[in-house]
Amino acid sequence: MNRTPHDRTATEPLARASYIGSTTEELARKRRGDLIAAAVDQKTLFPRRGKVALRSEHLVLEGWHDGGDLVLRRADITSIANEFTELYGRFLGGLLNAGKPLILGTTVAGEIYLMIDHKSFLETTSNRKWTRLLNTWLHSND
């Protein structure tokens, strides 16, 4: 389908959700008290929050920093993982695989941890779905 600048489908995101996030450096600086508090509320570990939008040309983390949004093009993303790590393990993420963080390696912001559509009570996320979406998008020829 040909898209014109006035075509609404040209601007609609492929996917959109809410996120909480952190850089690897921010997570590494957390102290024992922060980890204990995170057992009650994960937002203690993830100071960044907003909406994430996947568009055909880029991934946008709205409100990532004071200067605005973090815009990642395919070439900016070096890796995509959905796993527990030393910085964010099963103790914090719950026993379910749905609590694993989505970890993006980037050339512009370093490594970042995301929890997409995080549900506090059940410690679930949409990270597995977004891992699949991002891998498909990253390897597409758009």
Side-chain angles (χ1 to χ4, degrees):
M1 162 168 58
N2 291 332
R3 293 182 178 172
T4 65
H6 303 291
D7 183 357
R8 184 167 170 77
T9 60
T11 60
E12 289 295 315
L14 303 171
R16 185 169 172 80
S18 61
Y19 79 88
I20 56 176
S22 182
T23 65
T24 298
E25 291 78 21
E26 289 167 337
L27 278 177
R29 285 194 301 265
K30 296 297 179 181
R31 302 202 183 280
R32 184 171 166 79
D34 297 318
L35 299 177
I36 292 169
V40 176
D41 187 358
Q42 292 291 314
K43 291 178 183 173
T44 359
L45 297 179
F46 298 97
R48 300 166 189 267
R49 52 190 50 95
K51 295 288 183 185
V52 57
L54 178 61
R55 300 181 178 280
S56 60
E57 64 281 356
H58 56 260
L59 176 69
V60 179
L61 295 169
E62 297 172 4
W64 182 257
H65 48 74
D66 292 335
D69 303 340
L70 176 61
V71 178
L72 299 168
R73 299 191 188 330
R74 284 180 183 91
D76 298 329
I77 298 174
T78 58
S79 64
I80 300 171
N82 182 214
E83 62 191 15
F84 290 119
T85 66
E86 287 183 17
L87 292 175
Y88 190 88
R90 196 172 285 280
F91 170 74
L92 293 171
L95 299 175
L96 302 174
N97 285 337
K100 291 179 181 176
L102 172 58
I103 306 165
L104 299 179
T106 75
T107 59
V108 294
E111 192 173 68
I112 59 177
Y113 281 62
L114 298 171
M115 302 298 266
I116 299 179
D117 285 334
H118 180 258
K119 305 291 186 268
S120 300
F121 182 70
L122 297 174
E123 291 306 329
T124 61
T125 67
S126 296
N127 287 351
R128 287 185 289 185
K129 171 187 158 190
W130 275 77
T131 299
R132 288 189 301 274
L133 280 170
L134 290 173
N135 273 310
T136 300
W137 171 78
L138 190 63
H139 299 97
S140 70
N141 292 326
D142 261 350

